[in-house]
Amino acid sequence: MIRIQFLGGACLRDGAAVLTGPPAQRHRIALLALLAGAWPLPVPRARLLALLWPEKDELAARRLLNLAVHVLRKALGSSAIVTIGDGLLLGTDGLSCDVLDLRAAAADDDVARVAELHAAPLLDGFSLPEAVDFGHWLDDTRRELQRIHRRVVLLQLERSEGQGDLHGAVAACRQLVALDPYSGDDARRLMRALEQAGDRASAIRQAVEHAQRRRADLELGPDPAVAILADELREGVLAAVEPPSIAVLPLRIVGAEPEAHALADGIAEEVIALLTKRRDLRVIARGAVQALRARDATPRDVGRTLSVRHVLDGSLRVADGRVRVVATLIDAETERPIWAESYERAHTDVLALQSDIALRLADAAHAEIAAGAQSGRDLPGPDSLAHRLVLQGRQNLRGHTVVALARGRDAFVRAVEHAPNYLDAHIQRALACLELAEEGDPEFPALHAEASAAVAHALAHDPRHPEALATDGMIRMMMHYDWAGAESAIRSALERAPAHPLVHDLLGRLLWAMGRYDDALLLARRAQTLGATPHGIDPVTMLLSANRYSEALTHARLAVEVDPYAPKTHAGLAWALFLCRQYEAGVRAMEEAVTRSDGHLRWRGEMGQMYGMMGRWADARTLIGELEAIPGISPCYVAHGYQGLGEADAALTLLESAVASKCGQAYGIRGSFLYAPLRGHPRFGALVATMGLQAQ
């Protein structure tokens, strides 16, 4: 078995024997490293020539590349380097590589194995002095592997905190500090973990050591946030934040149907069970609430007796084969309704009916509490036309097609016409406009303007509204490439609504666009835990962007099972299959996405990219020609096809146009896995720099 080692010093082994001589020559080691870094994707020969032999003319460089491939195949086996179209792929038959093992261990969330493999940087001490761009690629890939390591440690930290394992949390935080000794965020994480574990002295000592490292290595003063936390620890003023609280009252029965009582009890029990799973919410046990209901206690009595801020009250009616539940979330102190909703279903499968209503009730109540619903909104009642239009619009947004998004936007526009101060309608209208722009609507400038006006209206009425702040952050990102302002706005929303799924959704999307995949994935998981949102953060895309292909494939298959009609789920499955080297299956899944897309051009563009990467150049060029003939088409869609053909300059010209015009998809160019092969190209680095980002 051939073993290729890149982490630390480079080494080729055949069993116990170290291979030296021609296969271990520096350019050949660099070639193997490039192929391992791109695996399971092939690397175009033109890209390899530019990175390894930039000082040579094309003919001489191709001769050197062909010689390197010949030497390596002879030493490592004929299948060590596989030709795919005009690209080269690292073969894995009879060969193992520590970089591939590291990524596999990260996909399995194997913290110990990741730490064992990533004990030293990629190609430590290695360089090709005449190949400047290879040096940039090497630095970028080292950072990528460090992010992979960090992502696994963050996941372990999340698990330890969820299980109440204080010492495990401290160990994970120490690993984060070892990975980035100068990070103020990680220093504070470790300090808080030590404080929670009862070791305040060590927590304060960490602040001192962090300041010493910054001064000695970076010639910087102490991190202000670390210093403030240290002062709080010294003064003992850290206080636990009291989570929001709720009591769920038994549903009142309207009518005399005998089965209504059992159904009402079942729904209430399930709502309590579902809300109890939310760690950020304190839920009162059913027995204590029933005793108060028996005494006809008011919501204020319930709140004061049980020390809760919110009360969920409601009624249930069974009549003519239908079940109707009306629920109201009430501020216990003021007895003002915060939110109201009605649910009506056919009275068929009782258990399914009970679970469905309970799940929707729990999700809606939790989201409203998280949003800090005391925002002064003009909230229409559950039977008003405006409220029904908003519900209809949200349902359309879940369709994830351009037609469904357009219908959703129209519903929100009508809701605003009927209730001009209904802030939720304004915010949902803005989100629908942003989604339409992102999906390639040629009228994106008008959509951006409409979204800005809607959010400005909401913030004028309530400057602290969490959803409005988060949507304002999305606008800053998409329309202005104002990454710092976007993050500040969304994090401000997160402070006001720490358990709102939409806020986590949008923050995750922002961090993904910036290339901060580890944090984005954690937010994706959190958003899904907190409840569904119509705008739907896409964990499959994030996993693919983080090079976690096998995990993405598992999620993608589940997504198709859950929603087999959405083109987006089939497209995610297509790329997961393709990047797991199941090329034909990936193409079939993408063709299914195209079929289900209601004429949407995005998936046709990605289809062209797949064709090109597989060597089906005629098919790719046919698709490119068809797309270029469509007026107003997004440049990003056409760029996919050229990228698949390996024509980087043509693709980059289109992407530069997209960024300059700020079309809907442009903000995600840095984060998307679809553009990963371009990241080492100088024009790509210059392009994302104009957006205020770095290529890696």
Side-chain angles (χ1 to χ4, degrees), residues 336 375-381 386 418-425 461:
R336 287 180 53 195
S375 59
R377 287 176 280 178
D378 178 9
L379 179 61
H418 285 279
N421 291 325
Y422 188 5
L423 299 195
D424 280 352
H461 283 73

Side-chain angles (χ1 to χ4, degrees), residues 19-30:
L19 300 180
T20 58
Q25 189 261 351
R26 297 181 72 79
H27 277 81
R28 291 160 194 167
I29 291 293

Side-chain angles (χ1 to χ4, degrees), residues 165-193:
D165 180 3
L166 300 179
H167 296 294
V170 169
C173 289
R174 289 193 187 280
Q175 289 190 58
L176 292 174
V177 170
L179 285 170
D180 188 353
Y182 311 110
S183 167
D185 289 343
D186 290 338
R188 293 198 304 276
R189 275 193 178 99
L190 177 56
M191 292 166 68
R192 290 187 181 279

Side-chain angles (χ1 to χ4, degrees), residues 153-295:
V153 177
L154 283 170
L155 182 59
Q156 182 61 40
L157 173 60
E158 183 182 35
R159 288 174 177 168
S160 296
E161 290 175 341
Q163 296 167 358
D165 180 3
L166 300 179
H167 296 294
V170 169
C173 289
R174 289 193 187 280
Q175 289 190 58
L176 292 174
V177 170
L179 285 170
D180 188 353
Y182 311 110
S183 167
D185 289 343
D186 290 338
R188 293 198 304 276
R189 275 193 178 99
L190 177 56
M191 292 166 68
R192 290 187 181 279
L194 288 165
E195 159 69 10
Q196 291 171 3
D199 192 354
R200 180 172 295 182
S202 293
I204 295 171
R205 191 181 311 117
Q206 282 299 319
V208 175
E209 293 175 359
H210 185 260
Q212 290 173 343
R213 288 194 295 271
R214 285 171 57 91
R215 183 169 54 252
D217 299 342
L218 306 177
E219 298 183 356
L220 294 174
D223 182 295
V226 174
I228 290 171
L229 178 57
D231 289 341
E232 291 176 348
L233 289 169
R234 290 187 185 98
E235 297 168 7
V237 299
L238 278 186
V241 177
E242 177 68 18
S245 52
I246 186 171
V248 180
L249 298 178
L251 295 173
R252 296 185 305 277
I253 307 301
V254 179
E257 292 291 331
E259 69 270 30
H261 290 276
L263 181 57
D265 288 345
I267 291 173
E269 286 179 2
E270 286 209 37
V271 170
I272 291 172
L274 289 165
L275 290 174
T276 302
K277 293 179 181 178
R278 312 294 175 93
R279 295 199 303 265
D280 58 331
L281 189 63
R282 181 169 64 89
V283 184
I284 303 303
R286 182 167 178 262
V289 179
Q290 281 185 314
L292 289 171
R293 170 66 95 188
R295 300 202 302 265

